[in-house]
């Protein structure tokens, strides 16, 4: 009966309606369990049986033959597709412990960690792979590189790519496409893109074209995107001609990207010609192509020409979601034409029954410059009404690969923080952070204050750790004081190290608070000793009040050990000063 039950588990694992919860199994946790929810009693019996077999050496090998890794991989991918990150991690760690993790398991897990914007965990998993053949598996390598690129860590991805090749990786077409896509997001990315493209062509000469190494339309599109960031229209034209000579036909995405290159290069006449070509091919049925030209013209000071394109959009009945209106409202505000901007905004609201935050933000700036305070207050009220809806919209756009506007994100973060939506503000901050290589320095401190106001101190610590050098000393002091009072006790030492790394001199009162919290929890003995040793290495010495407090409670940690540590701290600090 038990064997019969076990043989059905593969089928159970493939049922899309099942929900599996795997607890993490470790040597110290022998009471771990497996459960199925939303399935029948038979499935529950199966998993009870599975757990018993895994904990009995007699049946361990038998179950290994019956419960296939591919079945578990089905469940693993199911969790990832449903964005159930907690269960995904629990199942993967369970598979690792029981030797059930295959190359496909690693590839899937790392890929989904990238989608959840958790590159640190993904990189840790990759670095801990001990099997060299798995570590250079092209699918696993592609997954971790994609994760790093998606999370805005392109430079780290390129360094890892070079090491992978040294270790024996044979890149495929997807590898190059991933890295070429990442070139779009970094300054001077076209230079790196060109090197990757040349390497791709060399590999194409050495390998059969059906192995995926020959350049295809996606590689050209990624490379063209890199050129667009620099407005390098000459190289873009050459690239498109080369593509055509190989028999590859530029698609809508490529031609739209080429239009972007022309606009950024200031070639507005060529832009108009290409836009007409896109229309003739049926690729300009929505407003995006028109908006690229309109935005470029308005920013170049050619407001009348931009207005002409905008009128063309309306006359031709081009499908619009309001982006064209936003561009023109912003252009009018930038030129001080507040009345024209107001009229256009009202036209959009009358037709669509709503505003969007880009328009409102532009109007707000214009009203402030004109001193129209009543209009300012009315606009801010409208922003409050639509701001939470926009937060969800931005998350959807991020998942689809659209780049957020920093000015919009900054305004959204400000209003979310003001409204008490601290976690939502942090979500917008991360959306911007992972989409661009650089961002306004002031934004890091702005989100830090919002997170402290919401007592989201663990998230605040991450901001400080990554950007301590860009945050003012008063803000760092405020963070340090709040964290040692209310933050996670296990992270206090790390938080102080991050603050100290910025050049801020930590005050004695802060150390006294830390010692008091450790004393209240004697099981944190190791953390207290680590802090004392670290203080000595950085030139810090506990003041008499803190020293007496520690000695008074030294029986909780070991009197001799505390005395030796304090003495060592004094000697090391004295040597450092001399």
């Amino acid at each position: 009966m038990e064997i019969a039950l076990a043989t059905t588990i593969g089928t159970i694992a493939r049922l899309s309606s099942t929900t599996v919860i795997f607890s993490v199994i470790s040597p110290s946790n022998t009471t771990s369990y497996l459960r199925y929810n939303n399935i029948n009693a038979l499935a529950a019996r199966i998993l009870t049986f599975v757990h018993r077999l895994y904990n009995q050496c007699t049946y361990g090998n038998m179950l290994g033959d019956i419960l296939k890794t591919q079945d578990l991989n089905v469940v693993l991918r199911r969790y990832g597709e449903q964005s159930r990150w907690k269960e995904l991690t629990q199942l993967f760690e369970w598979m690792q412990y029981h030797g059930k993790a295959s190359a496909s398991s690693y590839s899937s897990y790392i890929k989904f960690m990238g989608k959840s914007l958790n590159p640190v965990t993904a990189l840790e998993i990759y670095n801990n792979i001990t099997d060299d053949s798995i570590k250079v598996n092209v699918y696993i390598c592609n997954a971790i590189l994609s994760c790093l690129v998606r999370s805005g860590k392109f430079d780290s991805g390129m360094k890892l790519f070079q090491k992978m090749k040294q270790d024996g990786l044979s890149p495929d077409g997807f590898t190059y496409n991933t890295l070429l896509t990442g070139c779009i997001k970094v300054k001077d990315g076209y230079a790196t893109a060109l090197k990757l493209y040349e390497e791709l062509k060399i590999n194409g000469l050495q390998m059969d074209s059906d192995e995926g190494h020959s350049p295809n339309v996606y590689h050209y599109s990624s490379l063209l995107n890199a050129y667009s960031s620099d407005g390098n229209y000459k190289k873009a034209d050459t690239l498109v001609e080369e593509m055509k000579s190989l028999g590859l036909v530029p698609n809508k995405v490529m031609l739209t990207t080429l239009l972007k290159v022309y606009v950024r290069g200031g070639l507005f006449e060529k832009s108009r010609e290409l836009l007409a070509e896109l229309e003739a091919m049926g690729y300009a049925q929505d407003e995006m192509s028109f908006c690229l030209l309109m935005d470029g013209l308005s920013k170049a000071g050619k407001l009348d020409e931009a207005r002409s394109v905008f009128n063309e959009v309306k006359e031709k009945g081009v499908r619009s979601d309001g982006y064209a209106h936003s561009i023109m409202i912003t252009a009018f505000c930038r030129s001080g034409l507040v009345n024209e901007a107001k009229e256009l905004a009202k036209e959009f609201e009358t037709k669509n029954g709503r505003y969007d935050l880009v328009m409102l933000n532009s109007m707000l700036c214009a009203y402030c410059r004109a001193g129209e305070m009543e209009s300012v207050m009315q606009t801010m009220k409208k922003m409050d009404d639509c701001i939470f809806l926009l937060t969800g919209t931005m998350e959807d756009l991020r998942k689809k690969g659209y780049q957020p506007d920093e000015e919009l994100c900054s305004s959204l973060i400000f209003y979310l923080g003001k409204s008490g939506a601290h976690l939502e503000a942090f979500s917008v901050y991360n959306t911007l952070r992972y989409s661009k290589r650089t961002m306004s320095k002031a934004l890091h401190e702005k989100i830090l204050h919002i997170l402290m106001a919401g007592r989201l101190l663990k998230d605040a610590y991450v901001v400080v750790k990554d950007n301590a050098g860009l945050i003012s000393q008063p803000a760092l002091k405020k963070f340090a004081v709040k964290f040692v009072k209310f933050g996670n006790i296990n992270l206090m030492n790390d938080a102080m190290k991050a603050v100290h790394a910025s050049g801020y001199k930590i005050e004695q009162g802060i150390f006294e608070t830390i010692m008091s919290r450790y004393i209240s929890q004697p099981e944190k003995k190791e953390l207290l000793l680590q802090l004392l040793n670290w203080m000595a290495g950085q030139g810090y010495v506990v003041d008499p009040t803190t020293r007496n407090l520690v000695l008074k409670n030294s029986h909780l940690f070991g009197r001799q050990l505390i005395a030796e540590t304090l003495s060592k701290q004094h000697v090391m600090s004295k040597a450092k000063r001399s």
Side-chain angles (χ1 to χ4, degrees):
M1 176 61 180
E2 290 184 336
I3 295 177
L5 284 172
T7 56
T8 65
I9 190 137
T11 303
I12 294 293
R14 290 185 173 87
L15 293 177
S16 61
S17 61
T18 58
T19 301
V20 191
I21 301 177
F22 288 84
S23 66
V24 180
I25 296 179
S26 63
S28 62
N29 181 16
T30 57
T31 60
S32 56
Y33 62 89
L34 294 167
R35 292 204 311 267
Y36 266 114
N37 290 340
N38 301 329
I39 55 174
N40 58 31
L42 175 61
R45 289 176 61 197
I46 290 175
L47 286 185
T48 300
F49 171 62
V50 168
H51 173 62
R52 189 163 72 250
L53 288 184
Y54 261 128
N55 286 281
Q56 294 180 17
C57 295
T58 305
Y59 297 102
N61 292 332
M62 180 189 73
L63 184 61
D65 294 334
I66 298 173
L67 184 58
K68 302 300 182 184
T69 295
Q70 67 187 51
D71 300 324
L72 296 172
N73 284 341
V74 170
V75 181
L76 190 74
R77 287 191 291 272
R78 180 74 173 169
Y79 281 150
E81 291 163 359
Q82 295 176 345
S83 299
R84 295 169 59 184
W85 312 127
K86 180 180 178 181
E87 290 91 340
L88 176 75
T89 298
Q90 287 177 335
L91 173 56
F92 180 74
E93 292 178 350
W94 188 90
M95 293 172 68
Q96 276 189 308
Y97 180 76
H98 284 292
K100 288 290 182 179
S102 65
S104 179
S105 309
Y106 279 99
S107 175
S108 295
Y109 182 68
I110 291 172
K111 179 183 73 174
F112 288 121
M113 283 296 98
K115 288 187 176 180
S116 68
L117 293 181
N118 197 341
V120 175
T121 299
L123 196 56
E124 182 180 352
I125 291 294
Y126 177 78
N127 288 334
N128 287 336
I129 297 175
T130 55
D131 188 327
D132 291 340
S133 63
I134 292 181
K135 203 161 189 175
V136 294
N137 178 286
V138 69
Y139 299 106
I140 294 176
C141 291
N142 287 345
I144 187 63
L145 291 174
S146 179
C147 174
L148 293 172
V149 170
R150 180 189 292 267
S151 301
K153 299 183 180 297
F154 178 75
D155 289 341
S156 299
M158 283 300 300
K159 290 178 182 177
L160 183 59
F161 176 58
Q162 298 304 328
K163 186 177 186 306
M164 287 173 171
K165 290 191 294 182
Q166 293 173 4
D167 293 341
L169 168 69
S170 296
D172 64 7
F174 186 84
T175 314
Y176 289 104
N177 193 47
T178 297
L179 295 172
L180 284 169
T181 301
C183 293
I184 307 167
K185 302 179 181 180
V186 297
K187 186 178 181 181
D188 296 329
Y190 68 93
T192 303
L194 189 58
K195 293 178 182 178
L196 287 168
Y197 175 63
E198 291 300 323
E199 183 178 319
L200 175 63
K201 289 203 296 185
I202 292 173
N203 284 340
L205 293 174
Q206 295 174 344
M207 302 181 183
D208 294 335
S209 60
D210 61 0
E211 289 185 19
H213 288 267
S214 294
N216 58 40
V217 67
Y218 300 105
H219 301 133
Y220 280 104
S221 181
S222 297
L223 185 57
L224 192 60
N225 253 313
Y227 290 151
S228 74
S229 64
D230 191 56
N232 198 325
Y233 63 88
K234 291 183 179 180
K235 287 186 177 180
D237 280 338
T238 301
L239 188 70
V240 172
E241 290 304 315
E242 178 182 324
M243 177 181 172
K244 290 178 179 178
S245 70
L246 294 174
L248 297 173
V249 180
N251 57 19
K252 177 182 176 180
V253 174
M254 280 210 69
L255 293 175
T256 304
T257 303
L258 184 60
L259 177 63
K260 190 191 305 182
V261 177
Y262 289 160
V263 170
R264 290 190 176 179
L267 303 178
F268 297 120
E269 193 58 40
K270 291 195 71 170
S271 299
R272 286 183 177 279
E273 292 173 3
L274 182 55
L275 179 57
E277 184 180 337
L278 283 165
E279 285 188 89
M281 298 173 70
Y283 290 162
Q285 295 177 354
D286 59 37
E287 64 184 334
M288 186 53 66
S289 299
F290 293 91
C291 288
L292 286 172
L293 178 55
M294 197 188 315
D295 190 44
L297 288 167
S298 67
K299 288 178 178 176
K302 299 179 181 294
L303 187 59
D304 289 338
E305 293 182 43
R307 194 199 312 252
S308 175
V309 176
F310 176 70
N311 290 333
E312 189 178 339
V313 170
K314 293 199 295 182
E315 290 168 3
K316 292 181 176 180
V318 175
R319 187 169 62 250
S320 174
D321 291 325
Y323 187 34
H325 280 76
S326 294
I327 289 173
M328 286 310 302
I329 290 171
T330 301
F332 285 144
C333 290
R334 190 187 298 123
S335 302
L337 302 174
V338 179
N339 289 331
E340 285 86 341
K342 289 169 66 173
E343 289 177 8
L344 196 55
K346 287 179 181 178
E347 174 190 303
F348 181 82
E349 185 181 28
T350 300
K351 182 179 178 181
N352 298 279
R354 64 178 175 83
Y355 279 113
D356 70 23
L357 199 65
V358 178
M359 294 181 193
L360 291 171
N361 190 59
S362 299
M363 296 300 298
L364 184 64
C365 293
Y367 289 145
C368 287
R369 283 195 292 265
E372 298 183 21
M373 297 314 297
E374 184 177 347
S375 296
V376 168
M377 298 307 296
Q378 291 175 354
T379 303
M380 290 181 70
K381 174 62 172 64
K382 290 176 180 176
M383 294 179 90
D384 288 339
D385 292 339
C386 74
I387 202 157
F388 288 98
L389 177 61
L390 183 62
T391 304
T393 302
M394 285 193 63
E395 178 62 18
D396 291 339
L397 289 173
R398 180 193 68 76
K399 290 179 179 179
K400 293 176 181 178
Y402 292 103
Q403 297 292 330
D405 176 76
E406 181 166 338
E407 183 180 1
L408 171 61
C409 287
S410 182
S411 297
L412 187 54
I413 288 169
F414 172 77
Y415 286 107
L416 285 169
K418 182 182 176 183
S419 304
H422 309 103
L423 194 58
E424 289 80 1
F426 189 52
S427 175
V428 175
Y429 167 82
N430 279 329
T431 297
L432 181 62
R433 175 186 172 210
Y434 287 124
S435 66
K436 300 183 70 175
R437 188 182 184 185
T438 58
M439 56 194 289
S440 171
K441 296 179 181 179
L443 203 53
H444 302 300
E445 187 162 327
K446 178 188 290 188
I447 194 63
L448 176 61
H449 283 294
I450 290 173
L451 293 172
M452 288 191 291
R455 290 282 184 91
L456 300 174
L457 297 178
K458 185 176 180 180
D459 294 322
Y461 159 63
V462 173
V463 173
V464 170
K465 179 171 66 72
D466 293 342
N467 309 283
L470 305 176
I471 298 172
S472 69
Q473 300 258 315
L476 288 171
K477 178 181 178 180
K478 183 178 179 180
F479 164 76
V481 171
K482 274 189 173 291
F483 199 95
V484 299
K485 285 183 178 179
F486 309 112
N488 186 327
I489 192 171
N490 296 316
L491 291 176
M492 286 197 300
N493 289 359
D494 292 330
M496 293 307 101
K497 290 176 183 178
V499 171
H500 174 78
S502 72
Y504 177 75
K505 187 72 173 177
I506 302 173
E507 299 173 356
Q508 282 294 332
I510 292 175
F511 286 124
E512 184 177 358
T513 302
I514 297 176
M515 298 302 173
S516 297
R517 288 191 66 186
Y518 284 151
I519 288 170
S520 69
Q521 297 187 41
E523 67 272 17
K524 303 300 179 182
K525 166 185 172 181
E526 290 301 322
L527 291 175
L528 184 146
L529 295 173
Q530 289 171 14
L531 179 63
L532 290 173
N533 286 326
W534 176 80
M535 289 173 64
Q538 307 304 320
Y540 292 108
V541 179
V542 293
D543 64 7
T545 302
T546 307
R547 182 184 180 87
N548 290 337
L549 176 67
V550 174
L551 288 173
K552 181 180 178 180
N553 295 276
S554 61
H555 62 283
L556 299 172
F557 307 99
R559 296 184 187 277
Q560 184 65 28
L561 185 58
I562 289 295
E564 290 176 356
T565 302
L566 288 173
S567 176
K568 179 181 177 182
Q569 183 195 73
H570 180 73
V571 171
M572 290 178 65
S573 177
K574 185 176 180 181
K576 188 174 181 68
R577 288 198 303 270
S578 62

